[in-house]
Amino acid sequence: MLQWIIIGGGIQGSTVATFLLKKNKTTINQLRIIDPNPKPLENWKRCTSTISMPYLRSPSVHHLDTDPFSLQTFSKIEHKYQPNTDLYGRYKRPSLHIFNDHCDHLIDDLNIQQAFVPSKVRNVEKADGYWNVYLQNGEVLKTEKVVIAIGIGDQLHLPEWASRLKEESSKSLYHVFDKELPPFEKQGGPFVVIGGGITATHLAIKLASLFPGEVTMLKRHSFRIYDFDSNPEWLGPKKRQPFLKLKDYEQRRNAIRSARHKGSIPSELRNKLSHLVRTEKLIMKDGTVIDYMIDSNRIQLILDNETSIKGKSILLATGFEQGLPGKDWLEPVIKQEKLPCAKCGYPIVNHMLEWAPNLYVSGALAELEVGPIARNISGARVAANIISSI
C-alpha cells in the first residue's frame, strides 16, 4: 500500500513530488510517479533542447523547490554559474542550463528516480476506500491518494492542410515537438517555420544560425509582445480572488482565455529576429497557408494573400490541441467514478484541488481553480503548495 501516486513526471508532477517529500508528507518508499518516459522531466528536456531555448520565460523564483530563492542560492553555491549570464535581466530569468541543473540536483537529492515507474496509466479505480492505478505494463498499484499531473504535450496541433500534407509527404513536414523529429541536418533546407509564438521564434533563431539565409518564418499575426504569457498579478490575490468568486465555470474559462497572451513573445526575442532579418539570415513573411503543391523535392505553400513559399522542410510550431489531457484513459475514469466536469470537459475541483476524495489534480487539469497560470511552472508551485498542505 502506497501513500501517494503521482501520474505525470514532468514539471507539474516533479514539483508536487518535491513539495510532498520536502514537507514530510510522505517518504520516497511510499511514493510512486507514473510516466511513459524513463526519467523525470525527459519530455521537457527534449522539447527545450530541440528549440535551443536559452532562457526560461519565467523568473528565477519559479522552479521545482519549496523555497522561492532556492535556484538563486544554488547559483551562488555552484561556482560554475555566472550571475549576469545565467540569471538574465530584471526578473533574473534562469538559463535553461542552470534551471535543468537545479532540477537534477533536487531529483538526485530526494532520490526521486527511485519512485519513478516508466509506464502509461490504463485506468484508475476506487475500491474499498483506496485507489487502484492500473498500468499498461500490467502492474496494479494501490494507494491512499492520487495526483493527476498530466499535460497536453502529446496533443500536437496540426492545421488541416498540414495533416493532408503529412499523409502525402511524411518526411517533408514535422511538428517541432514530434518525438520522431529527425536532426535538422538530415532534413535539409530551405526550411519554413510555421508559427508566430515563442516556440516558433526560438526555432527560427536556431535554424537561422545553423542554415543562414535558408529559413523563412511564416506567421499569421503581428508579434504580440509581453514579458510573460499572463499578467503576473495572477500569482496573487488581486486577480485570483475575483476569479475564484466566479461560480459559473464558463465565465472562469472565458477569464482564462482572455488572460493568456497566446502566441506572445518577450521583446528581446523580437529584437533577435529583427537582427536576423536585417542581416539576411532569416526571411519573415505574414500569411496563412490555405493549400500546398508538391513539386519534386520542394513543397509550395499557397497563402491567403495570393503569394506562396517554397521549402524542402516544413516545421510546425503550431502548439497543442486544447482538449482534455489524457483523454483516452481519463474519459472512461470520469464516467466510471462520476467525476464532475465543466462544459469545456475540464475538472470541477474544490479549493484543495480535490476532484474526488483523495484524488487531486495539477497543471492543465487544475486551471478552473488555479487560473491561467496553472500550466506554467508558477502554477505547478501553486498546486504543489496546496496539495502538500493537506
Side-chain angles (χ1 to χ4, degrees), residues 52 202-213 215 276 281-282:
S52 294
H202 282 307
L203 178 61
I205 290 168
K206 176 176 184 171
L207 289 173
S209 68
L210 293 172
F211 308 96
V215 184
L276 291 169
K281 292 176 181 175
L282 175 69

Side-chain angles (χ1 to χ4, degrees), residues 216-255:
T216 300
M217 182 177 180
L218 176 66
K219 55 189 179 63
R220 291 184 302 167
H221 53 76
S222 57
F223 287 119
R224 300 161 180 166
I225 309 300
Y226 293 95
D227 285 330
F228 305 111
D229 53 13
S230 60
N231 191 316
E233 290 176 342
W234 280 100
L235 290 164
K238 186 170 182 179
K239 292 282 187 184
R240 280 204 72 212
Q241 280 185 357
F243 174 77
L244 293 173
K245 284 178 182 175
L246 296 171
K247 300 306 174 191
D248 184 317
Y249 286 94
E250 279 193 76
Q251 289 182 354
R252 287 196 187 188
R253 173 58 65 199
N254 290 335

